[in-house]
Amino acid sequence: MPIKIPDDLPARGTLEAEGVVVMREADAIRQDIRPLRIGLLNLMPNKISTETQIARLLGATPLQIELTLVRITDHVARHTSADHLAAFYRPWSEVSAERFDGFIITGAPVERLPFEEVRYWPELRMIFEWTQTHVHSCLTICWAAQAALHHFHAVPKHELPRKAFGIFQHRNLIPASPYLRGFSDRFDVPVSRWTEVRISDIPEGSGLHVLAASDETGLCLVNDPHRRSLHIFNHFEYEADTLADEYARDGNAQLPTNYFPGDDPSRCSENVWRSHAHLLFGNWINEIYQTTPFDAAAIGRASPVVS
């Protein structure tokens, strides 16, 4: 089944060229079906790239997805045009009365700041609480994953002496988890962050399950079943050239590990994580489909716990 996004969203042309089935709004209205409503709170600076990356993974699942793009209410994005935001994004204050089967919160380039110094931290804390009453399943990525664990469990983040940057192998620690269905025992994932959350800081009795981790870069996936949240500390959604773009953006300051063939930036990297990215997002969507209420008004009320 296709993903429903606005007809003139820039991501549409890219996805259609890749063979992702994208539904026109007019066709979606005619279908007698309840699509899964997925919200995307996009905190990344290059919002168009992130929209495309996330929509690509959601659109590959066999279910009809309706994607709603959301922004922080009063925050002014510096790297995305006001016209784009006005045309395609809704402020969270506008959608806060609505319910979503799934809600994704991306990373943000603020990870070296204390959480409390981030300008939109008060609203983000409200959003985290709102997910407990208006969202069936929440997915957080990178800094947002750290922020969620800090908000709900008072878990600290630690600044790294050197940026964790590159492609790193991770271990599948709980193969029986529905989120890791079909995963290899070891798999590669792009990592790009200046901070980390440590396994040793996870409180006893918190109910948090560490699903995957790397010997080099630590936590990758943490499930919080009682909060109906899955936390991703790295970037399954990245495209093959995303780390190269970040390397150039940062003035070629740090070569990404295990990324450029022969550590030669003139050679193109291969995407060796794509299949696991599709597996993870497909498994997440499948769990939502299996457990979300048919009546959208019941979303967020005594939902089943997914271990």
Side-chain angles (χ1 to χ4, degrees):
M1 293 294 286
I3 182 171
K4 174 178 172 281
I5 57 178
D7 292 343
D8 48 355
L9 188 72
R12 174 177 286 273
T14 301
L15 297 179
E16 289 178 334
E18 295 175 359
V20 177
V21 181
V22 184
M23 174 171 277
R24 293 186 306 160
E25 293 180 283
D27 293 334
I29 292 172
R30 286 198 297 269
Q31 286 201 347
D32 185 19
I33 188 173
R34 181 173 101 67
L36 292 181
R37 294 200 68 212
I38 305 296
L40 172 61
L41 178 63
N42 189 355
L43 304 176
M44 292 290 277
N46 190 335
K47 298 197 186 308
I48 294 176
S49 291
T50 302
E51 295 157 13
T52 305
Q53 291 166 3
I54 299 297
R56 174 185 293 118
L57 295 171
L58 296 177
T61 61
L63 301 168
Q64 187 183 134
I65 305 294
E66 178 183 300
L67 183 62
T68 299
L69 300 177
V70 182
R71 61 176 175 85
I72 293 290
T73 302
D74 294 320
H75 180 67
V76 178
R78 293 180 296 171
H79 302 283
T80 303
S81 73
D83 289 344
H84 182 83
L85 292 173
F88 301 114
Y89 279 77
R90 299 172 65 191
W92 175 72
S93 60
E94 183 179 298
V95 304
S96 61
E98 300 177 13
R99 298 181 187 272
F100 292 85
D101 300 287
F103 198 79
I104 301 169
I105 307 175
T106 74
V110 294
E111 58 181 315
R112 300 175 89 172
L113 290 173
F115 292 115
E116 293 75 15
E117 292 184 15
V118 175
R119 281 181 293 177
Y120 48 79
W121 180 244
E123 180 164 327
L124 186 59
R125 292 188 66 192
M126 289 191 288
I127 293 171
F128 283 141
E129 290 299 320
W130 168 83
T131 65
Q132 302 303 289
T133 56
H134 288 71
V135 173
H136 182 69
S137 181
C138 186
L139 181 71
T140 63
I141 299 173
C142 199
W143 177 80
Q146 297 179 351
L149 286 195
H150 179 71
H151 173 75
F152 287 119
H153 300 282
V155 176
K157 64 181 172 72
H158 304 272
E159 187 159 352
L160 297 168
R162 175 181 169 87
K163 186 178 183 181
F165 189 44
I167 308 300
F168 295 92
Q169 190 175 83
H170 291 72
R171 289 174 288 118
N172 180 346
L173 300 177
I174 308 182
S177 168
Y179 297 118
L180 295 179
R181 187 178 295 112
F183 266 63
S184 305
D185 293 336
R186 294 182 180 271
F187 53 93
D188 294 326
V189 186
V191 180
S192 180
R193 48 183 166 79
W194 284 98
T195 56
E196 67 175 357
V197 168
R198 297 172 182 165
I199 295 177
S200 59
D201 288 328
I202 293 179
E204 290 187 15
S206 63
L208 297 171
H209 302 155
V210 178
L211 303 184
S214 164
D215 293 336
E216 298 171 277
T217 58
L219 286 173
C220 177
L221 287 170
V222 171
N223 183 25
D224 189 352
H226 296 289
R227 299 284 182 181
R228 304 189 311 279
S229 297
L230 180 65
H231 306 299
I232 307 173
F233 295 88
N234 302 321
H235 290 283
F236 285 85
E237 80 280 6
Y238 272 9
E239 297 168 329
D241 59 357
T242 304
L243 291 183
D245 291 342
E246 293 185 2
Y247 174 65
R249 179 200 66 194
D250 296 340
N252 303 345
Q254 180 181 331
L255 197 70
T257 302
N258 305 321
Y259 180 65
F260 294 116
D263 283 341
D264 180 357
S266 68
R267 299 174 64 187
C268 296
S269 172
E270 294 182 337
N271 188 323
V272 296
W273 60 90
R274 182 184 295 114
S275 58
H276 287 97
H278 282 280
L279 267 177
L280 181 63
F281 275 74
N283 287 342
W284 180 63
I285 289 294
N286 182 59
E287 286 306 309
I288 291 175
Y289 175 72
Q290 296 293 334
T291 59
T292 194
F294 179 80
D295 180 3
I299 287 175
R301 301 174 186 171
S303 301
V305 172
V306 178
S307 300

